[in-house]
Amino acid sequence: MFINLLRFEIKDRLWRLSSLVYFFVYLALTFLLSVTFAGAFKGTSVSFGLSNKLSLNSPVVLNYLICLVGYFGLLGTAPLFGQSINKDFENGFSQILFATPLTKRTYFFVRYIGSFISSLAILSSIAIGIWLATLMPFVDRTLVGENQIWFHIAPYVTNVIPN
């Protein structure tokens, strides 16, 4: 029962219009910042206070970009988490829900884990946007190194998830 509820919660969260908008806004923002950093637009540069000799997918640049956009992503996680429980109380469904064999602890845990996984999936668009930017043929190839998956995951483990 727990797995079914969790699957329903995640599916419900991810296919909402607001979740899709957040996903594509973060993806587009990081993609544009990344291709600009990698020299796609001649005469325009974005350095983020970092050396322009660093490659786009170096650990330092990835950590900086993912954390920077991830902090803006926190603005999208608050409504995602807050709305999950509030909707049941607004609709009066809480009285029916708590009359079932489902305990309050299980209910809140499913809501929390579902919102957490959904927000992590939405924020994964940041790394996807950077990864897509490294594959574009119009960026300066001298500013793009070899893609390594751990360099994309480490900022999430150290900064985005704890925040």
Side-chain angles (χ1 to χ4, degrees), residues 29-39 48 56 65 129-131 133-134 139:
L29 178 67
T30 54
F31 179 79
L32 289 174
L33 285 173
S34 299
V35 296
T36 305
F37 183 84
F48 307 113
L56 172 62
L65 267 173
I130 297 170
W131 178 74
T134 63
V139 298

Side-chain angles (χ1 to χ4, degrees), residues 1-11 102 106 109-110 113:
M1 181 171 164
F2 177 79
I3 297 297
N4 291 334
L5 288 172
L6 186 60
R7 189 178 307 133
F8 172 78
E9 183 69 22
I10 293 169
K11 185 176 164 185
L102 182 66
T106 304
F109 189 69
V110 164
I113 295 297

Side-chain angles (χ1 to χ4, degrees), residues 41-138:
F41 305 111
K42 301 301 178 204
T44 305
S45 67
V46 175
S47 66
F48 307 113
L50 301 170
S51 171
N52 58 358
K53 305 261 191 271
L54 291 170
S55 66
L56 172 62
N57 48 3
S58 68
V60 173
V61 175
L62 284 173
N63 188 43
Y64 191 84
L65 267 173
I66 290 173
C67 292
L68 177 73
V69 180
Y71 291 142
F72 287 111
L74 292 175
L75 299 172
T77 59
L80 188 73
F81 272 82
Q83 196 270 341
S84 66
I85 293 176
N86 191 33
K87 70 177 181 180
D88 291 337
F89 287 98
E90 281 181 352
N91 296 333
F93 187 68
S94 60
Q95 302 302 323
I96 297 169
L97 186 66
F98 294 135
T100 64
L102 182 66
T103 64
K104 284 185 181 182
R105 178 176 292 171
T106 304
Y107 168 73
F108 288 122
F109 189 69
V110 164
R111 292 289 193 190
Y112 177 79
I113 295 297
S115 296
F116 177 77
I117 291 171
S118 299
S119 66
L120 192 58
I122 291 168
L123 291 175
S124 71
S125 66
I126 299 168
I128 293 169
I130 297 170
W131 178 74
L132 287 174
T134 63
L135 302 177
M136 294 296 115
F138 50 82

